[in-house]
């Protein structure tokens, strides 16, 4: 069965209860949603699948299981924001495992270096989102506390909705940019200080890369290991509750 058969077959059709249940069962952070919230997420996931386009790469064969799992995880952050928060892009490219992206980087002397980056996910501004299916299944498993590559990349998309991935997503009514920065910037600065000091942080040290990565990694932690974010950065946790209009700790 080719991709277009999959799209044709799935687009107008609802996700079966069996497939939905098996998807949720594999993802602890979805399993703890209330019955009503799970129903709402299922409806949102169906609308998402109807609007977006999945493409397989690297020899992967797409299945309903793969598309529904990625869509359901990606829709969790917009449960309180609505599908329009993902309005400026359509494509999701799924690789079987980690994939290589070639980069050209110019150094301070103007010399261009070409290097291969091995990635589990990437979000292109104005373009598609790339995900490794292998990594998309790790979230919630032992040894992967706080990890969720799907939520990470979708959070970048929320961040990019109003321009650069700078850690300031498109804020809705009730949150001013000054309010956001008053909480976000000190948390980011504190985290960078800890990482620079060689402290073993519970949040992935990759988050110290820049504000955009801090937002994406903190968003993963918020949804998958909310207690961890709430303990380390309680003010940021509260800010995320207001922004995402969800309180994952209350349902965990
Ligand atoms: Zn990232």
């Amino acid at each position: 069965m080719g991709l277009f058969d999959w799209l044709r077959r799935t687009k107008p059709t609802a996700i079966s209860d069996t497939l939905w249940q098996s998807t949720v069962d594999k993802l602890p952070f979805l399993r703890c949603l209330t019955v009503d919230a799970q129903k709402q997420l299922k409806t949102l996931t169906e609308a998402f699948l109807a609007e977006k386009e999945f493409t397989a790469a690297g020899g992967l064969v797409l299945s309903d299981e793969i598309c529904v799992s990625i869509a359901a995880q990606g829709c969790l952050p917009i449960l309180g924001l609505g599908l329009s928060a993902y309005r400026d892009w359509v494509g999701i490219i799924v690789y079987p495992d980690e994939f290589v992206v070639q980069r050209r980087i110019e150094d301070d002397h103007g010399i261009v270096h070409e290097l291969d980056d091995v990635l589990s996910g990437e979000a292109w501004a104005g373009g598609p989102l790339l995900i490794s299916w292998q990594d998309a299944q790790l979230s919630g498993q032992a040894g992967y506390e706080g990890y969720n590559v799907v939520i990470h990349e979708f959070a970048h998309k929320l961040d990019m909705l109003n321009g650069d991935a700078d850690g300031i997503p498109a804020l809705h009514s009730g949150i001013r940019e000054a309010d956001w920065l008053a909480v976000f910037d000190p948390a980011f600065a504190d985290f960078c200080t800890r990482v620079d000091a060689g402290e073993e942080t519970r949040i992935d040290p990759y988050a110290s890369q820049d504000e955009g990565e801090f937002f994406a990694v903190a968003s993963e932690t918020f949804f998958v290991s909310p207690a961890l974010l709430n303990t380390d950065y309680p003010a940021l946790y509260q800010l995320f509750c207001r922004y995402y209009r969800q309180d994952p700790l209350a349902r965990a």
Side-chain angles (χ1 to χ4, degrees):
M1 185 181 70
L3 168 69
F4 294 103
D5 295 327
W6 190 90
L7 288 174
R8 247 200 311 275
R9 195 164 58 82
T10 302
K11 274 199 162 177
T13 320
I15 301 166
S16 75
D17 286 340
T18 316
L19 176 58
W20 181 251
Q21 203 50 55
S22 73
T23 302
V24 168
D25 284 348
K26 289 178 193 129
L27 302 165
F29 53 95
L30 297 185
R31 225 165 33 215
C32 62
L33 292 170
T34 63
V35 174
D36 280 352
Q38 278 191 25
K39 270 189 200 152
Q40 199 195 336
L41 182 66
K42 183 172 182 278
T43 305
L44 189 63
T45 303
E46 288 165 345
F48 178 91
L49 287 168
E51 197 180 286
K52 305 301 181 198
E53 282 173 20
F54 281 80
T55 310
L60 179 81
V61 177
L62 277 177
S63 64
D64 292 2
E65 182 203 353
I66 294 173
C67 297
V68 171
S69 174
I70 291 172
Q73 296 183 62
C75 283
L76 179 63
I78 57 160
L79 202 54
L81 299 173
L83 192 51
S84 67
Y86 292 153
R87 63 183 169 271
D88 64 339
W89 58 280
V90 288
I92 298 165
I93 301 170
V94 190
Y95 288 81
D97 208 329
E98 288 184 322
F99 51 91
V100 175
V101 171
Q102 284 171 344
R103 303 214 188 276
R104 288 166 63 87
I105 293 172
E106 195 176 321
D107 68 19
D108 296 342
H109 307 288
I111 300 165
V112 175
H113 302 268
E114 295 200 353
L115 51 98
D116 289 346
D117 235 356
V118 180
L119 302 173
S120 55
E122 186 162 57
W124 290 352
L129 202 146
L130 288 62
I131 292 281
S132 148
W133 170 234
Q134 180 67 35
D135 293 81
Q137 299 169 86
L138 295 175
S139 188
Q141 292 189 23
Y144 290 91
E145 200 186 41
Y147 178 81
N148 189 301
V149 65
V150 179
I151 292 176
H152 181 107
E153 301 307 335
F154 279 66
H156 278 317
K157 281 297 190 186
L158 292 173
D159 194 353
M160 289 169 181
L161 189 60
N162 59 347
D164 294 337
D166 56 1
I168 313 168
L171 300 172
H172 47 76
S173 55
I175 309 177
R176 293 174 310 141
E177 191 169 309
D179 298 341
W180 184 271
L181 294 175
V183 174
F184 187 89
D185 282 354
F188 178 59
D190 176 80
F191 188 73
C192 291
T193 306
R194 287 166 189 261
V195 171
D196 290 346
E199 191 179 313
E200 209 165 294
T201 56
R202 297 195 300 162
I203 294 169
D204 186 347
Y206 180 66
S208 68
Q209 194 96 345
D210 55 44
E211 287 88 342
E213 293 306 334
F214 188 65
F215 173 69
V217 173
S219 293
E220 290 176 66
T221 314
F222 176 75
F223 285 107
V224 177
S225 301
L228 199 163
L229 186 66
N230 189 48
T231 305
D232 288 9
Y233 295 103
L236 188 64
Y237 180 85
Q238 289 303 326
L239 182 70
F240 277 18
C241 286
R242 286 173 63 199
Y243 167 65
Y244 283 112
R245 295 184 173 127
Q246 297 184 54
D247 185 355
L249 196 56
R251 66 192 179 222

